[in-house]
Each structure stands twice: as structure tokens, then as C-alpha cells.
């Protein structure tokens, strides 16, 4: 079991509806020592790639991606969620449907901050159905840049996002993959991964 899985078992709370609450250390209150360890682990896993930019989506991805960008010594850009339909031509736009929140957002990144031929590492806290990640991938590709990898802190392996995105040929590294959880007993089952 790796450092993150241990922390999830210690402080994560399984809620009904297959929701894992990790707000005491990851996405509300943030344990910065843990985030630094997460960032070092992503650096180790993507070290061979010529990453020139880290991309994430607001809100919870930002704090994590900032530390990852520092490890790589590159800038971090976050996609903004926009309700407006009047997005000008200076922006890359993708549509993201959230199954959890049952809403639809446009996500936008200014063309100034994503150049053709850049090598992008996408970072996010959760991968569930993969809509946010697919939106970020589509933005990178509209810019003519390369997705060198996707680093996810917690993947919900029983939802289809991870499988779908790996099947499209992208390199996805998830530090913890939850294959099952039970809100009645509080039990969490992680997938065995060779990288740990
Ligand atoms: P998807 O992007 O993978 O398709 O995920 P989905 O629509 O199902 O999830 C929408 C939001 O809910 C995302 O955050 C995602 O990170 C979060 N989420 C999904 N499953 C869980 C879970 O089990 N626990 C927690 N804590 N969050 C989960 P978001 O709307 O982008 O929110 P934020 O980043 O602005 O906080």
C-alpha cells in the first residue's frame, strides 16, 4: 500500500452514492506535506517526458498542480469553468458534463497560455467518469500541443473514465485506484498497481 492509500484509509470517509470524502487532507483542507509527496511521485512517474506545462481545472486541481509544476520547473495553467456562451476567439473551449453535479460547464483556456508543440501533463484530484479529463485533453489537442500524460490523485476504478481514456491511448497514472467502497462498513478496496 502506498503513502496515499494509507492516508485515504486513515482519513477518507465513504459516503453513500459512491462518494469518497477526502476534504480533510486533499480538496478542502490540504495537507501540504502530503501534496508535496504527491507532486514528487508524479515527477518520478513522468520524469522521462519532456513536460513544458502542467494543466488542470479549477478548483481542486489547482493546489495540487501548482506543486507538480514546481517539481518540473514549468508553468501551471488551470482551465476556468465558464457559464457564458459568449466566449471569444481568444480562448480554447471544451464542454464538460458533470455526472456528480448534474450540470454542464464550458471550460476555457486562453490561447496565449497553450502553444503548439508544447508537452502537457494534465493533473486532477479525481477521475470518475472522465468528463473533465476529456475536456482538458480536447483543449490541449485544439492547441496542437501534445498530451504527455495524465496524473490523477484518486481514480474511481468502478466508473468508466480511466478505462475509456487509457483505451484512447493516453498514459494515465493514478496514485490510488479505488475499485470498491462501502458506505455501510466504511471499507475501501484499492487496485494493486505495479508502480507502488
Ligand atoms: P468526471 O469529471 O471524472 O466525469 O467526474 P464527475 O463529473 O463524476 O465529477 C464531478 C466533480 O466531482 C469533480 O469535481 C470531481 O473531482 C468530483 N468527484 C467525483 N467523484 C468524487 C468523489 O468520490 N469524491 C469527491 N470528493 N469528489 C468527487 P469538480 O466539480 O470539478 O469540483 P471542484 O474541482 O471544483 O471541487
Amino acid at each position: 500500500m502506498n503513502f496515499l492509500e494509507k492516508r485515504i484509509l486513515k482519513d477518507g470517509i465513504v459516503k453513500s452514492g459512491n462518494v469518497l470524502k477526502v476534504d480533510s487532507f486533499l480538496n478542502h483542507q490540504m495537507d501540504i506535506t502530503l501534496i508535496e509527496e504527491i507532486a514528487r511521485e508524479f515527477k518520478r512517474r513522468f520524469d522521462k517526458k519532456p513536460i513544458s506545462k502542467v494543466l488542470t481545472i479549477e478548483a481542486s486541481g489547482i493546489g495540487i498542480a501548482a506543486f507538480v509544476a514546481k517539481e518540473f520547473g514549468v508553468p501551471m495553467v488551470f482551465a476556468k469553468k465558464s457559464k457564458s456562451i459568449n466566449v471569444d476567439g481568444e480562448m480554447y473551449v471544451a464542454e464538460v458534463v458533470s455526472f456528480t453535479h448534474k450540470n454542464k460547464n464550458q471550460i476555457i483556456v486562453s490561447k496565449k497560455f497553450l502553444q503548439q508543440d508544447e508537452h502537457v501533463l494534465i493533473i486532477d484530484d479525481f477521475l470518475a467518469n472522465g468528463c473533465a479529463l476529456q475536456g482538458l485533453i480536447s483543449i490541449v489537442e485544439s492547441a496542437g500541443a501534445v498530451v504527455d500524460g495524465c496524473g490523477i490523485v484518486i481514480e474511481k476504478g468502478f466508473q468508466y473514465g480511466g478505462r475509456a481514456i487509457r483505451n484512447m491511448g493516453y498514459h494515465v497514472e493514478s496514485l490510488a485506484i479505488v475499485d470498491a467502497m462501502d458506505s455501510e462498513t466504511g471499507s475501501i478496496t484499492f487496485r494493486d498497481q505495479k508502480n507502488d
Side-chain angles (χ1 to χ4, degrees):
M1 199 180 299
N2 69 25
F3 68 96
L4 177 68
E5 293 165 333
K6 284 184 193 145
R7 185 60 180 268
I8 294 169
L9 285 189
K10 181 170 162 278
D11 291 328
I13 299 169
V14 183
K15 296 282 196 187
S16 59
N18 276 326
V19 171
L20 176 63
K21 265 194 106 59
V22 286
D23 59 355
S24 65
F25 59 96
L26 190 68
N27 57 15
H28 192 21
Q29 174 169 259
M30 298 176 77
D31 177 339
I32 298 304
T33 304
L34 179 81
I35 307 298
E36 285 175 326
E37 198 168 358
I38 287 170
R40 282 195 298 273
E41 182 58 21
F42 283 132
K43 174 77 164 83
R44 188 178 75 77
R45 294 192 188 200
F46 292 104
D47 205 24
K48 293 196 170 65
K49 304 279 176 80
I51 307 296
S52 64
K53 196 152 282 179
V54 171
L55 177 68
T56 189
I57 179 168
E58 66 177 352
S60 327
I62 297 174
I64 301 158
F67 282 90
V68 177
K70 180 142 194 293
E71 283 294 322
F72 282 91
V74 301
M76 184 274 281
V77 176
F78 62 93
K80 297 188 177 195
K81 293 172 182 166
S82 156
K83 296 249 180 305
S84 153
I85 47 166
N86 297 317
V87 174
D88 65 30
E90 298 306 303
M91 301 282 181
Y92 295 114
V93 186
E95 190 145 285
V96 171
V97 179
S98 167
F99 288 90
T100 308
H101 300 307
K102 312 255 180 300
N103 63 8
K104 220 190 249 186
N105 275 303
Q106 284 187 321
I107 62 167
I108 56 173
V109 172
S110 169
K111 289 185 177 174
K112 282 186 293 200
F113 304 130
L114 206 48
Q115 309 295 326
Q116 201 176 356
D117 301 328
E118 278 205 87
H119 285 260
V120 179
L121 174 60
I122 299 176
I123 294 290
D124 209 356
D125 57 341
F126 269 94
L127 170 58
N129 294 311
C131 298
L133 195 49
Q134 300 227 26
L136 292 170
I137 290 171
S138 111
I139 281 185
V140 174
E141 295 188 338
S142 344
V146 179
V147 177
D148 264 349
C150 306
I152 302 296
V153 181
I154 303 174
E155 176 177 336
K156 292 161 86 183
F158 51 87
Q159 290 182 242
Y160 57 79
R163 195 168 358 114
I165 291 165
R166 288 186 183 93
N167 284 344
M168 290 159 70
Y170 296 101
H171 177 189
V172 180
E173 290 281 345
S174 299
L175 303 192
I177 302 181
V178 175
D179 267 340
M181 52 191 192
D182 184 329
S183 61
E184 302 218 324
T185 61
S187 74
I188 301 173
T189 310
F190 295 107
R191 188 174 304 174
D192 271 335
Q193 297 194 79
K194 59 179 180 334
N195 232 327
D196 293 348

